[in-house]
Amino acid sequence: MSRFSDLIADHARPLCVNAPSRRPRPAVSQPIPRRVKLAANESPYGPSPKAVAAMRAAAEGCHLYPDDDALELRRNIAERHGVEADQVLVSAGLTALLATIARTLLQSGRNAVTSERSFVVYRHVTSATGAKLVETRGREDGYDLDAIFSAIDTSTRLVFFANPNNPTGTMVESGAVERFLERVPPHVVVVIDEAYYDYAQHFANSRGVQYSSPDFVRHENVVLLRTFSKAHGLAGVRVGYGVGPVELIAYLARMQDMFSVSNVAQAAALAALEDEEHIRFAVERNAQQAEWLAGEISKLGYRVIPTWTNFLCCDVGQDASAIARRLREQGLIILPLGQWGAPTSIRITVGIPEQNQSFLDALRKISV
Ligand SMILES: *Cc1c(COP(=O)(O)O)cnc(C)c1O
């Protein structure tokens, strides 16, 4: 092909040489008067003002390398989970931590198991190691843990389990998760990705069901993931963490890039954890807007999957990429799910009332 394609390592080939380009598409010809981006599940309520103040203060010390151990933040997180600080690893977002976990446990000849229609990063980090990603069929638009269990073989080292799931927004209750964890063989590490924890916990409380459990991390083969990118509104800062068994966490820590979590990010995370009021505000507003928006979309005759997150997944019954294009022409950016094998579904991040109203107006306009 060209000079460099021959030089690329075998495991990297499917990721870069034969992958679709990641360059942004050219801008549409007409100027967009107003852009409403509801495509990345960011919080429309922004970061905690206390986190912003902490970042400003930390910026004064940015000529120094950060604490590579993130000790203060790890202690704080450990206390919240009722575990030892040695069981916590802080990372520059979960995307980076997923890559670290994959390159620690996977290699060519091994596999990771996840569900179809789940988080795209699982595929990327698995392929990057030369391992295979096995995607099982879903159940009721979400994870089927029985199918996941059946897909585990002697070469499996990881299960990636997004709970709630992105992009479908579904959640598996803690009892079913617990029963699954009890069955998983010891040669498999289960990564429970709770990126939407705060939203899901709020929905679970109001719907009277059990979502996550502090007991998940009592299992010797579980790594529980949380991020500050979603409800905490810190997606641009890049900080998240994992909780797991001491020995495995120590291996992962050595595999992580040095100094990857900045002192600004560590300060932001600490302050964001303390500002429970801000989180409550974000999750309550989100729940209220999510229910409203889901109701309005249903009235247009589209099926909306009940959500446990800050986004909605709905089937618009026609080519979703065409819908996305027409919405984009009106300045509205949402995610069509064709790449997930759902060519008539879209994912919309729940915004503030004005954004949600703009989305609905635009959807109504193109639906007639
Ligand atoms: C958004 C999201 C994450 C968070 O990624 P960061 O790298 O921490 O921003 C992780 N898992 C899932 C399923 C997500 O949707």
Side-chain angles (χ1 to χ4, degrees), residues 40-41 91-96 98 118-119 121-122 162-166 193-196 225-230 234-235 238-240 311 347:
N41 303 342
S91 67
L94 292 188
T95 305
L98 287 163
S118 193
F119 193 37
V121 171
Y122 304 153
N163 200 32
N165 187 33
N166 174 12
D193 181 345
E194 295 188 339
Y196 300 93
L225 307 186
R226 302 265 176 92
T227 182
F228 293 91
S229 296
K230 303 286 156 62
L234 292 169
R238 313 307 303 136
V239 57
F311 59 83
R347 191 194 71 187

Side-chain angles (χ1 to χ4, degrees), residues 11 39 94 98 138 149-150 153 160 191-192 222-223 238 253 260 262 267 276 282-283 319 328 345 360-361 368:
H11 62 265
L94 292 188
L98 287 163
F149 179 77
S150 303
D153 63 24
F160 290 117
V191 174
I192 306 181
V222 167
V223 179
R238 313 307 303 136
S260 56
S262 73
E276 283 164 18
V283 299
D319 180 13
R328 187 178 266 266
S345 290
L360 263 182
D361 293 344
V368 288

